[in-house]
């Protein structure tokens, strides 16, 4: 089992920056990918990006060039650095971890609100 705790959401003006953190505990040695999805009001959950155990990242086209994902393997924490934020980035951001056996675990979600 893996437990995930997210932090770092909040309110920011358009053009601003925020960093989300996702701290994993439990069977962290089983984790391959760590990343985020987001869900805006009235919309389906949308893939944002991930970083795998080798440090390779994959980001959605909508956030490429603005968001970066990094990972601290010593502290089992992933980070989503969000720059040049837009009002359309407003959503609840959910951290996830997927294991080498394709099990999925989710964080509690954190609200990001970007004002225009």
């Amino acid at each position: 089992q893996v437990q995930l705790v997210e932090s770092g959401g909040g309110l920011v003006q358009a053009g601003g920056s925020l960093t989300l953190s996702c701290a994993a505990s439990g069977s962290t040695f089983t984790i391959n990918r760590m990343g985020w999805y987001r869900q805006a009001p009235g919309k389906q959950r949308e893939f944002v990006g991930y970083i795998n155990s080798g440090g390779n990242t994959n980001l959605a086209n909508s956030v490429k060039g603005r968001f970066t994902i990094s990972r601290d393997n010593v502290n089992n924490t992933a980070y989503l650095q969000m720059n040049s934020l837009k009002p359309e980035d407003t959503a609840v951001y959910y951290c996830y971890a997927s294991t080498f056996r394709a099990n999925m675990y989710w964080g509690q979600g954190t609200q990001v609100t970007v004002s225009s």
Side-chain angles (χ1 to χ4, degrees):
Q1 293 284 325
V2 173
Q3 296 79 42
L4 301 173
V5 176
E6 298 185 63
S7 60
L11 173 64
V12 64
Q13 288 189 331
S17 298
L18 277 176
T19 301
L20 305 185
S21 300
C22 178
S25 61
S27 300
T28 57
F29 62 93
T30 67
I31 296 173
N32 178 15
R33 295 177 180 176
M34 294 184 73
W36 278 265
Y37 279 73
R38 65 186 181 185
Q39 188 164 21
K43 295 189 177 182
Q44 290 189 331
R45 193 171 289 196
E46 174 190 28
F47 171 75
V48 175
Y50 69 77
I51 183 167
N52 67 16
S53 58
N56 300 306
T57 61
N58 182 25
L59 290 164
N61 288 334
S62 59
V63 304
K64 276 182 183 175
R66 301 188 298 122
F67 292 11
T68 58
I69 295 179
S70 60
R71 185 167 170 174
D72 178 350
N73 289 321
V74 173
N75 293 306
N76 299 306
T77 301
Y79 302 95
L80 178 65
Q81 174 67 44
M82 304 183 290
N83 299 325
S84 303
L85 282 160
K86 305 175 181 179
E88 51 264 43
D89 294 318
T90 295
V92 177
Y93 283 69
Y94 294 93
C95 168
Y96 78 95
S98 62
T99 70
F100 290 99
R101 291 193 173 187
N103 295 315
M104 292 280 287
Y105 299 92
W106 294 93
Q108 79 276 18
T110 187
Q111 177 70 46
V112 172
T113 302
V114 185
S115 63
S116 56

